Amino acid sequence: MTHDPLLARARRVWLKMAGVSMDFPVGGGVEVAVSARSRLCPPGWVGIVGLGDAVVVTVPTGRWAGIVRTVLHELPVGVLTDADRLRAVLPIAEVLGPASLAYLDECDFQPAGLDSVDVVPGEHADLAGLLASVATDDADECGLADITSDAFVVRRGNRVVAAAGYRRWPGLVAHLCVLTEPNHRGRGLAPAVASAAVADALANRLLPQWRARPYPSRQVALALGFRQLGAQLSIRIRVSAQTPLRRLPERPRRTRRESRDPRHESACVA
């Protein structure tokens, strides 16, 4: 694979959070390592991060390392963040994700500005009002309550109807968080506030990260110049199960995937 500086930088971010010395295999493939301190997933879970043509996986104890390594090495790299495919070969109790991972190089940034975007502190009462105006799932999904940056907002009258900011992650990452009030979605407000937050992150020499599950969120990211480089998935294995090694069915059954864990929230609810 031709050297891709943005991909290399994104990979370094996740390797720092693995909690153990490991690397994305050169030339593609999967590496599995035992790490009780992994931040790729919640404690006690298996964390899977695929970027480009390679995947890194952390397991909490050596008990599962061998079986996970055997199973994943038998699967194509492209399906290792597909929960349905993994359910067919591992005794999975819970799933978080998958969340797509997109990143932005400054030279690719496509601003989508509005003159009416204001800047307020991240703990501003008007921002709390926006969070209170949406469904709890939307508020949890966007992660706006946990930003460490200022908030970039659009008002209609005295009310904030769209806001964006970012939470600073290890490795100089700015994890974008965007929320638009339901009655104002589809009007270009999400790209506007997100653009202001991205510009601030770039000015602070941070790497903008956009993680998304919903299609509209991914579309906002693409419009701003983000490139989707991979995906992240966390799974919790049933401890009491006798681990079966089954063949993958031709048509894996569909399951509902939900996530409230901050490692899997979408960047944007808009």
Side-chain angles (χ1 to χ4, degrees):
M1 172 182 286
T2 304
H3 179 66
D4 182 339
L6 186 63
L7 175 63
R9 190 176 177 188
R11 285 178 169 178
R12 288 195 295 271
V13 169
W14 288 98
L15 291 175
K16 286 181 179 179
M17 294 197 294
V20 66
S21 179
M22 62 187 311
D23 207 347
F24 287 88
V26 176
V30 56
E31 179 172 348
V32 179
V34 178
S35 176
R37 299 181 293 114
S38 173
R39 298 179 65 185
L40 273 58
C41 55
W45 289 50
V46 176
I48 305 170
V49 174
L51 288 168
D53 61 354
V55 177
V56 291
V57 181
T58 58
V59 295
T61 67
R63 173 180 181 180
W64 288 106
I67 190 66
V68 169
R69 185 178 291 108
T70 298
V71 168
L72 297 190
H73 274 291
E74 292 178 352
L75 296 173
V77 168
V79 306
L80 296 186
T81 52
D82 185 326
D84 292 322
R85 299 295 296 271
L86 296 187
R87 284 184 189 277
V89 292
L90 287 170
I92 296 177
E94 289 184 76
V95 171
L96 293 177
S100 67
L101 298 174
Y103 297 88
L104 178 68
D105 191 287
E106 185 172 11
C107 64
D108 297 325
F109 182 33
Q110 300 292 322
L114 277 181
D115 292 338
S116 57
V117 174
D118 297 326
V119 183
V120 301
E123 67 278 5
H124 197 278
D126 288 348
L127 194 65
L130 172 62
L131 287 164
S133 73
V134 303
T136 301
D137 286 349
D138 282 359
D140 290 342
E141 181 84 2
C142 73
L144 196 62
D146 300 317
I147 61 173
T148 57
S149 71
D150 287 332
F152 303 85
V153 306
V154 169
R155 300 177 187 272
R156 291 294 180 262
N158 295 323
R159 195 171 77 255
V160 169
V161 297
Y166 58 84
R167 185 166 68 251
R168 189 159 175 165
W169 277 27
L172 298 178
V173 167
H175 175 68
L176 271 296
C177 304
V178 187
L179 178 64
T180 305
E181 190 179 81
N183 291 338
H184 290 81
R185 293 176 184 174
R187 303 181 187 181
L189 300 184
V193 293
S195 180
V198 168
D200 186 78
L202 291 173
N204 286 301
R205 300 185 180 278
L206 302 176
L207 173 65
Q209 172 180 271
W210 193 288
R211 299 171 57 218
R213 294 185 302 149
Y215 177 75
S217 178
R218 297 197 302 270
Q219 289 301 103
V220 173
L222 291 175
L224 294 176
F226 281 82
R227 282 200 289 135
Q228 184 174 329
L229 298 181
Q232 176 198 11
L233 178 73
S234 292
I235 59 175
R236 183 173 69 82
I237 294 185
R238 290 197 304 271
V239 176
S240 61
Q242 295 296 320
T243 307
L245 286 176
R246 302 191 295 270
R247 276 191 185 179
L248 291 171
E250 292 183 5
R251 295 184 179 181
R253 62 187 179 89
R254 305 302 299 174
T255 56
R256 183 183 180 192
R257 305 185 190 110
E258 295 182 346
S259 169
R260 291 187 179 179
D261 188 276
R263 299 174 183 85
H264 292 268
E265 69 212 4
S266 290
C268 174
V269 179

